[in-house]
Short mmCIF file of all heavy atoms in Angstrom, two decimals:
data_model
loop_
_atom_site.label_atom_id
_atom_site.label_comp_id
_atom_site.label_asym_id
_atom_site.label_seq_id
_atom_site.Cartn_x
_atom_site.Cartn_y
_atom_site.Cartn_z
N PRO T 36 -15.31 -54.93 19.08
CA PRO T 36 -16.08 -53.85 18.50
C PRO T 36 -15.87 -53.78 16.99
O PRO T 36 -14.84 -54.07 16.41
CB PRO T 36 -15.46 -52.59 19.11
CG PRO T 36 -14.99 -53.05 20.49
CD PRO T 36 -14.45 -54.45 20.24
N ALA T 90 -9.77 -57.44 5.69
CA ALA T 90 -11.08 -58.02 5.24
C ALA T 90 -11.53 -59.00 6.34
O ALA T 90 -11.67 -60.23 6.03
CB ALA T 90 -10.91 -58.70 3.89
N SER T 107 -17.11 -42.05 -12.27
CA SER T 107 -17.11 -41.40 -13.52
C SER T 107 -16.86 -39.89 -13.39
O SER T 107 -16.52 -39.15 -14.27
CB SER T 107 -18.47 -41.59 -14.25
OG SER T 107 -19.53 -41.30 -13.42
N ALA T 161 -29.63 -24.57 -7.71
CA ALA T 161 -28.53 -24.71 -6.73
C ALA T 161 -28.31 -26.19 -6.43
O ALA T 161 -29.22 -27.02 -6.60
CB ALA T 161 -28.91 -23.96 -5.42
N SER T 172 -28.97 -35.15 -10.23
CA SER T 172 -30.48 -35.39 -10.35
C SER T 172 -31.10 -34.29 -11.20
O SER T 172 -31.96 -34.60 -12.06
CB SER T 172 -31.14 -35.40 -9.00
OG SER T 172 -30.73 -36.56 -8.27
N ALA T 173 -30.58 -33.09 -11.03
CA ALA T 173 -31.03 -31.92 -11.87
C ALA T 173 -30.63 -32.12 -13.35
O ALA T 173 -31.30 -31.73 -14.26
CB ALA T 173 -30.57 -30.60 -11.27
N ALA T 178 -31.83 -33.21 -19.02
CA ALA T 178 -31.70 -34.06 -20.22
C ALA T 178 -32.96 -34.72 -20.60
O ALA T 178 -33.35 -34.80 -21.77
CB ALA T 178 -30.59 -35.06 -19.97
N LEU T 196 -29.95 -23.86 -0.11
CA LEU T 196 -31.38 -23.55 0.25
C LEU T 196 -31.59 -22.16 0.63
O LEU T 196 -32.63 -21.57 0.32
CB LEU T 196 -31.84 -24.48 1.36
CG LEU T 196 -32.04 -26.00 0.99
CD1 LEU T 196 -32.33 -26.82 2.23
CD2 LEU T 196 -33.16 -26.09 -0.02
N GLN T 232 -42.13 -43.83 -6.73
CA GLN T 232 -43.34 -43.87 -5.93
C GLN T 232 -43.35 -42.66 -4.95
O GLN T 232 -42.28 -42.11 -4.66
CB GLN T 232 -43.39 -45.15 -5.04
CG GLN T 232 -43.28 -46.43 -5.83
CD GLN T 232 -44.58 -46.70 -6.66
OE1 GLN T 232 -45.68 -46.36 -6.25
NE2 GLN T 232 -44.35 -47.31 -7.84
N GLY T 258 -26.01 -47.73 1.99
CA GLY T 258 -25.77 -49.23 2.03
C GLY T 258 -24.49 -49.51 2.86
O GLY T 258 -23.75 -48.65 3.15
N GLY T 264 -12.94 -59.54 -0.07
CA GLY T 264 -12.30 -60.70 0.57
C GLY T 264 -12.83 -61.05 1.91
O GLY T 264 -12.34 -62.03 2.58
N GLU T 276 -28.40 -60.00 10.09
CA GLU T 276 -28.61 -59.13 11.20
C GLU T 276 -29.25 -57.73 10.70
O GLU T 276 -30.05 -57.19 11.40
CB GLU T 276 -27.36 -58.91 11.99
CG GLU T 276 -26.82 -60.13 12.71
CD GLU T 276 -27.72 -60.59 13.86
OE1 GLU T 276 -28.54 -59.80 14.34
OE2 GLU T 276 -27.59 -61.76 14.27
#
Side-chain angles (χ1 to χ4, degrees):
S107 51
S172 294
L196 285 174
Q232 303 291 328
E276 294 292 341

